Amino acid sequence: LASMAIAVGVAAVSVVFVLTLGPLLLSRFKMAELQPFLWLIPVSILAQSLLQALNFWNTRKSAFFKVAASKIVQAAVTTFLALGLGIAGYGTAASMIGSNVAGFACAAFVLVVVSFGGIRSQGEEGADAASRPLSVLRRYRKFATHSTGPAVLNAMSWQLPALLLGAFFSAGVVGLYALTMKVIQTPVGLVHQAISQVFYREVAA
């Protein structure tokens, strides 16, 4: 519950950031044509944050079938929506961006639905259920302090090349770069996620 509340808070902060600095940054990096899609950033942040939080929670509970179901939904929605729109003649940047965000959103929705019962029963355990989220945040605060910095640097290492390419070249070049990276990352990501998701609980313990 604490992680989900933080996810909502971060998404709300991103709305303010997008409204104030979004157009300026896009203009700076010569990507003004992406301005109509800025509103998808908070939606994507919320969906991916909820997805990651519930992924870890279900991994802790060894509910790998729920995690697998969400990943299947994400892949299916993203792939079939992009292909369907392309076949229908709407193979544009909007359809690609929208299909990716829709995949994350549907996966997060499925994981929230299948995990809700377990989260509610977990929250009802103990006499002081209302204070549990705060006590959990205090107990595991080092996870945030130790992992936030590396996570930010890792995200920057993946995203900065695209931003720099956009500043010096056209959006088509950035799209080709993103497509190439996706093709390269897909097989590695499948193996990495399949192994790390199963053994994460034991390693953490």
Side-chain angles (χ1 to χ4, degrees):
L1 292 176
S3 297
M4 296 173 73
I6 292 173
V8 174
V10 171
V13 171
S14 70
V15 171
V16 178
F17 179 82
V18 166
L19 291 177
T20 55
L21 296 178
L24 178 63
L25 290 176
L26 287 180
S27 176
R28 178 72 175 177
F29 289 101
K30 299 180 181 179
M31 297 181 181
E33 64 270 18
L34 296 179
Q35 188 166 338
F37 309 114
L38 282 176
W39 67 274
L40 290 174
I41 293 178
V43 177
S44 180
I45 289 175
L46 178 61
Q48 293 190 55
S49 299
L50 292 176
L51 193 60
Q52 186 173 21
L54 292 171
N55 261 327
F56 282 119
W57 191 83
N58 282 289
T59 299
R60 181 183 177 187
K61 297 298 180 180
S62 298
F64 298 114
F65 68 96
K66 295 179 181 180
V67 176
S70 69
K71 291 185 180 298
I72 291 172
V73 169
Q74 178 185 343
V77 171
T78 301
T79 303
F80 288 112
L81 187 59
L83 288 175
L85 290 172
I87 294 173
Y90 298 99
T92 62
S95 65
M96 296 299 295
I97 295 173
S99 61
N100 274 280
V101 175
F104 282 117
C106 291
F109 176 77
V110 168
L111 210 51
V112 168
V113 171
V114 299
S115 305
F116 181 75
I119 295 174
R120 184 175 59 181
S121 62
Q122 181 79 13
E124 291 173 352
E125 293 178 1
D128 193 14
S131 65
R132 287 180 63 87
L134 293 178
S135 65
V136 168
L137 286 176
R138 286 193 296 268
R139 181 179 179 183
Y140 296 106
R141 64 186 182 277
K142 289 186 178 180
F143 277 91
T145 57
H146 292 325
S147 63
T148 300
V152 171
L153 289 176
N154 185 52
M156 289 175 62
S157 70
W158 286 109
Q159 302 304 327
L160 276 179
L163 293 175
L164 292 175
L165 285 172
F168 294 101
F169 300 98
S170 65
V173 173
V174 180
L176 289 174
Y177 168 81
L179 179 61
T180 303
M181 291 302 297
K182 185 174 183 179
V183 172
I184 293 174
Q185 291 174 8
T186 297
V188 178
L190 287 173
V191 176
H192 163 262
Q193 290 181 11
I195 295 175
S196 63
Q197 197 78 34
V198 174
F199 292 105
Y200 180 83
R201 182 176 182 273
E202 284 72 15
V203 172

